[in-house]
Amino acid sequence: MAVTTEAPVRIGKPAIGALGILALALGTLQAVVEPSLPLLQDDLRIGPAEGSLIFITLLITGAVVAPIAGKLGDRYGGKRVLVVLMTVVSAGGLLSSAAPNLPVLLAGQILQGAMVGALPLSFILVRKHLPPGQTQVAVGLVSGLFTGGSLVGMLIAGPIAENLSRHWMFAIPTTAIIATTLIVARMMPGDAPESDATIDWLGVILLSCTLVALVLGFMAVAGGGLPPLAIAAVTAGVAALATAWAAVERRAASPMVDLRMLAMPAMWSASAATLFLSLGFGMTVYLVPQMLSVSGDGYGFGASSSDIGLYLVPATIAGVVAGTIAGIASRRFGPRAVITAGALATAGTLIALASLHDSTWQLVAARALTGFAVSVSAIALLASTATAVAAKDTGIATSLLVVTRVVGVALGAQLGGVLLEAGTDPATDLPTESAFTTGFITAGVIAALSLLVVRVMKKGTRA
């Protein structure tokens, strides 16, 4: 495939708006399962353990698809791959809407997981069709609307499922995705491939296997009950897959991930900062609802699932606002300053929460502030990385950051669960207050580690 050198066509606000609305619809479809899980379990006659497979399936698919989608976008053009990917997601949404049982629903969720690849593909398009300064604002808008879709999904899932059926809560967002994809395909100009090299499929397979093994292995270890020999075997298996992937990438004529790119300060520092912030945030995502729901002796609030959903609305709104602010602030002050401020706010809030959790408003405010700060930092990291690497590597570089964030949040939530499990009082079968305190302090310290990474970033970096 020939690679053109023609100047890309500039796009206006309608095209960016269409990308943003597509992100909103995707976020909505992604979020409808969480608030309606009890209804799904009852309707499909499955237990909590089987119900959790829905989340695991979506997570694993997203972690695998994101880097592949980014690489394919660099290779064949972002618009072309985005349309194909949205076709897969739409098929998954329709399959989920018609699912008569759990296996069919899981198959639909596997296809829906491809939506995670939409973000790096969108970044490819805005990088190619917008001036550098406007790129950061557009990245923030698309990321913020994807988060906003989560709020829409949480609010509409229950009413739709209860008043119509569970089938419609998948069908309605999917219809919006199909319609918006057609609009994007019409309004967004085609983008030329940045590379004509062949795809390193062995590298793709090994990276996918490494990510799957990492997530499943950590969940198995965190779940407890594994003997030391089994834990060592899981660790060795993940390490062997990662080593094999690195060896293949070093020898490949056209590697999926150029390891020299990973060695760039802008790339490895962004990845490390994203991981630390995501781990701390993932612990918060798990610990705050747990403390709201627990009714302990002098702590906890015994909140219902509906109450917790309302308590988390401010955090979701904060994530939406963060998308716009992050892009503008990165353009005005530089990504490094934005990331530093976000990391400081996250770490300080979590450490303060260890002692200040006597009222619901403190938990609600802390969850909203950390959600805002982490989102601002993550978007600034994505925007700076998108313009720091070569144009041909935009898709894969941003994909790796998206995957790092997804995996980091998942592992952080698991770590929070381990700490609460270790601090459970046998007499009451409830986590002790000290277990929550330890969790919040641990999350704050982990988030603070990102500040050490930020120090090595180029001062005054601007995209």
Side-chain angles (χ1 to χ4, degrees), residues 225-321:
L226 288 182
L229 186 60
I231 295 176
V234 170
T235 304
V238 174
L241 286 169
T243 301
W245 172 72
V248 167
E249 297 304 274
R250 282 198 299 267
R251 292 177 173 81
S254 178
M256 177 187 179
V257 178
D258 189 343
L259 298 182
R260 293 172 299 179
M261 180 191 72
L262 292 180
M264 293 173 54
M267 189 65 210
W268 70 257
S269 60
S271 299
T274 298
L275 178 61
F276 287 133
L277 285 170
S278 299
L279 283 169
F281 181 61
M283 294 182 68
T284 312
V285 168
Y286 180 83
L287 292 171
V288 168
Q290 293 295 320
M291 176 161 267
L292 287 170
S293 65
V294 73
S295 183
D297 184 13
Y299 71 99
F301 305 94
S304 67
S305 298
S306 298
D307 291 336
I308 293 173
L310 292 175
Y311 288 144
L312 296 180
V313 167
T316 307
I317 295 175
V320 177
V321 175

Side-chain angles (χ1 to χ4, degrees), residues 26 30 58-59 61-67 69 85-86 89 111-121 146 399 402-403 406:
L26 289 170
Q30 181 194 41
L58 194 64
L59 169 67
T61 304
V64 170
V65 167
L85 208 63
M86 292 306 96
V89 173
L111 297 178
Q112 282 182 218
M115 72 174 65
V116 179
L119 287 178
L121 292 171
F146 185 85
S399 297
V402 170
V403 170
V406 170

Side-chain angles (χ1 to χ4, degrees), residues 125-414:
L125 291 174
V126 299
R127 167 79 186 271
K128 289 181 178 179
H129 296 299
L130 289 176
Q134 296 180 22
T135 296
Q136 293 182 355
V137 178
V139 167
L141 175 67
V142 173
S143 301
L145 286 174
F146 185 85
T147 304
S150 300
L151 173 60
V152 175
M154 286 191 294
L155 293 177
I156 70 171
I160 290 177
E162 293 169 1
N163 294 295
L164 296 175
S165 73
R166 66 175 173 86
H167 304 285
W168 282 104
M169 73 179 188
F170 292 107
I172 292 175
T174 301
T175 302
I177 291 171
I178 294 172
T180 313
T181 299
L182 293 174
I183 295 174
V184 170
R186 181 177 179 82
M187 298 184 65
M188 186 67 63
D191 56 311
E194 293 288 348
S195 170
D196 59 358
T198 58
I199 298 295
D200 172 27
W201 289 112
L202 181 57
V204 168
I205 293 172
L206 286 173
L207 178 60
S208 301
C209 291
T210 301
L211 291 171
V212 171
L214 175 64
V215 175
L216 293 181
F218 189 88
M219 293 181 66
V221 172
L226 288 182
L229 186 60
I231 295 176
V234 170
T235 304
V238 174
L241 286 169
T243 301
W245 172 72
V248 167
E249 297 304 274
R250 282 198 299 267
R251 292 177 173 81
S254 178
M256 177 187 179
V257 178
D258 189 343
L259 298 182
R260 293 172 299 179
M261 180 191 72
L262 292 180
M264 293 173 54
M267 189 65 210
W268 70 257
S269 60
S271 299
T274 298
L275 178 61
F276 287 133
L277 285 170
S278 299
L279 283 169
F281 181 61
M283 294 182 68
T284 312
V285 168
Y286 180 83
L287 292 171
V288 168
Q290 293 295 320
M291 176 161 267
L292 287 170
S293 65
V294 73
S295 183
D297 184 13
Y299 71 99
F301 305 94
S304 67
S305 298
S306 298
D307 291 336
I308 293 173
L310 292 175
Y311 288 144
L312 296 180
V313 167
T316 307
I317 295 175
V320 177
V321 175
T324 302
I325 292 180
I328 297 174
S330 294
R331 183 179 181 182
R332 174 66 179 83
F333 303 106
R336 186 174 183 270
V338 175
I339 297 162
T340 300
L344 282 171
T346 301
T349 300
L350 291 174
I351 293 174
L353 194 57
S355 58
L356 301 175
H357 51 253
D358 300 325
S359 302
T360 55
W361 74 264
Q362 293 171 328
L363 292 171
V364 171
R367 176 65 179 81
L369 181 56
T370 54
F372 176 83
V374 170
S375 295
V376 166
S377 299
I379 293 168
L381 286 163
L382 281 167
S384 62
T385 302
T387 50
V389 300
K392 66 182 181 63
D393 293 322
T394 301
I396 188 62
T398 55
S399 297
L400 292 175
L401 290 189
V402 170
V403 170
T404 301
R405 188 179 184 187
V406 170
V407 174
V409 170
L411 298 186
Q414 290 290 323

